[in-house]
Amino acid sequence: MREARITVPGLARKRRDGDKIVMLTAYDFPFAQILDRSGVDVLLVGDSVGTCVQGHDTTLPVTLDEMIYHCRMVTRATERALVVGDMPFGSYQRGVSAALDTACRLVQEGGVQAVKLEGGERVAEQIEAIARADIPVMGHIGLTPQSVHRMGGFRVQGRTESAKELLLRDARAVEAAGAFAVVLEGIPQALAPEITEALSIPTIGIGAGIGCDGQVMVLHDLLGLGDHTPPKFVREYVNLSEIVGKATRMYAEDVRLQKFPGEHESY
Ligand code: KIV
């Protein structure tokens, strides 16, 4: 029998019951289907598609139309996981009306059940408007990749007392505005449990240590797909670049030596 889809109230229950939330990024149909069938709770169609799939150095060039294209592939593949669509740079910074348009398009055209946007206090109005439209919205604070130029690189945030206070304020603002969960990215591991305790919504960490209600990882980092050195917080469970490279070299050799196709691979 098909398992019921994970819901926003279901994630709140997981936090209450102390069940950790498992979240991964997904960008296309085949991987989304594998992750859904593996029991991943939340699939984030992240704007990290820009760096993982499109070959950009940052997430900034990713457009809303591109996000919708990827959301459609992922939502078509999922039956159980809650799918969250990332709001790309430029699609909500212009104000509440732009943010609402973006969230509606991700739900209506992309088929997602929820959306995510980066920022704390400075995007509270946008979060409030989206939540008021009954679209579940996830916050994202700390190392927010769309702020790469302000931060001067992808740097751990919240290291000083004042930065820590700002992050706590951001977390409270995101919750007060109506977010159903918040991603904590790139912060000291001692700060994550403090934020988690200060909130009543689930916190989902990436590079934030163990003290969160769940964890999210970029799929291509977990799979070892890509030729960059992964950040410290990544655990590479397999090296797919090596495996795919080996398979490709074997195929090339077989073609060149006329060992492929064989009798049983021909009509
Ligand atoms: O786009 C993304 O992959 C993200 C995660 C890092 C949380 O926002």
Side-chain angles (χ1 to χ4, degrees):
M1 205 177 70
R2 186 197 276 198
E3 237 187 297
R5 194 181 286 277
I6 301 280
T7 61
V8 165
L11 293 179
R13 268 196 305 278
K14 276 187 183 290
R15 170 178 159 115
R16 244 191 347 264
D17 297 345
D19 291 340
K20 295 293 179 190
I21 296 166
V22 180
M23 174 161 146
L24 273 175
T25 65
Y27 315 106
D28 62 30
F29 187 95
F31 275 123
Q33 195 168 58
I34 295 169
L35 305 188
D36 192 58
R37 290 175 179 174
S38 306
V40 175
D41 300 315
V42 183
L43 293 190
L44 169 67
V45 187
D47 62 355
S48 50
V49 69
T51 48
C52 293
V53 177
Q54 296 177 340
H56 295 299
D57 290 336
T58 72
T59 57
L60 300 176
V62 178
T63 67
L64 178 56
D65 285 337
E66 288 166 349
M67 286 306 303
I68 290 168
Y69 173 73
H70 287 280
C71 286
R72 289 165 80 112
M73 292 185 231
V74 170
T75 52
R76 242 179 256 138
T78 54
E79 293 181 351
R80 176 185 177 273
L82 181 96
V83 183
V84 180
D86 229 351
M87 295 173 61
F89 176 71
S91 74
Y92 60 94
Q93 286 84 352
R94 289 187 186 89
V96 163
S97 155
L100 209 45
D101 285 349
T102 298
C104 288
R105 284 196 66 196
L106 284 168
V107 170
Q108 206 159 43
E109 298 173 45
V112 301
Q113 287 91 41
V115 299
K116 174 173 87 55
L117 79 177
E118 296 182 9
E121 266 186 325
R122 69 193 153 83
V123 292
E125 279 186 359
Q126 285 92 325
I127 292 176
E128 203 173 332
I130 296 167
R132 230 185 300 119
D134 271 347
I135 298 174
V137 51
M138 182 180 275
H140 182 165
I141 62 170
L143 192 173
T144 45
Q146 291 176 17
S147 319
V148 56
H149 298 311
R150 171 180 56 77
M151 295 182 301
F154 299 103
R155 296 179 192 288
V156 173
Q157 303 293 296
R159 284 199 195 271
T160 64
E161 269 312 303
S162 58
K164 191 174 122 181
E165 279 315 309
L166 276 180
L167 269 179
L168 272 160
R169 263 176 49 188
D170 276 341
R172 290 195 181 100
V174 162
E175 170 167 313
F180 73 93
V182 61
V183 170
L184 308 179
E185 177 166 0
I187 63 170
Q189 59 172 332
L191 180 54
E194 252 188 80
I195 296 178
T196 301
E197 267 171 42
L199 302 185
S200 59
I201 56 173
T203 57
I204 300 175
I206 174 165
I210 196 82
C212 304
D213 297 307
Q215 297 289 329
V216 56
M217 212 154 84
V218 169
L219 180 67
H220 287 47
D221 287 343
L222 177 149
L223 297 179
L225 264 177
D227 66 357
H228 63 286
T229 311
K232 175 180 172 169
F233 60 80
V234 165
R235 188 175 295 177
E236 202 177 275
Y237 284 84
V238 64
N239 191 322
L240 271 196
S241 293
E242 247 174 58
I243 293 172
V244 174
K246 188 173 167 208
T248 312
R249 283 192 298 276
M250 285 164 66
Y251 164 72
E253 188 176 300
D254 283 351
V255 170
R256 289 183 186 121
L257 296 176
Q258 297 184 53
K259 288 185 179 169
F260 178 85
E263 216 28 61
H264 65 287
E265 286 142 342
S266 306
Y267 298 101

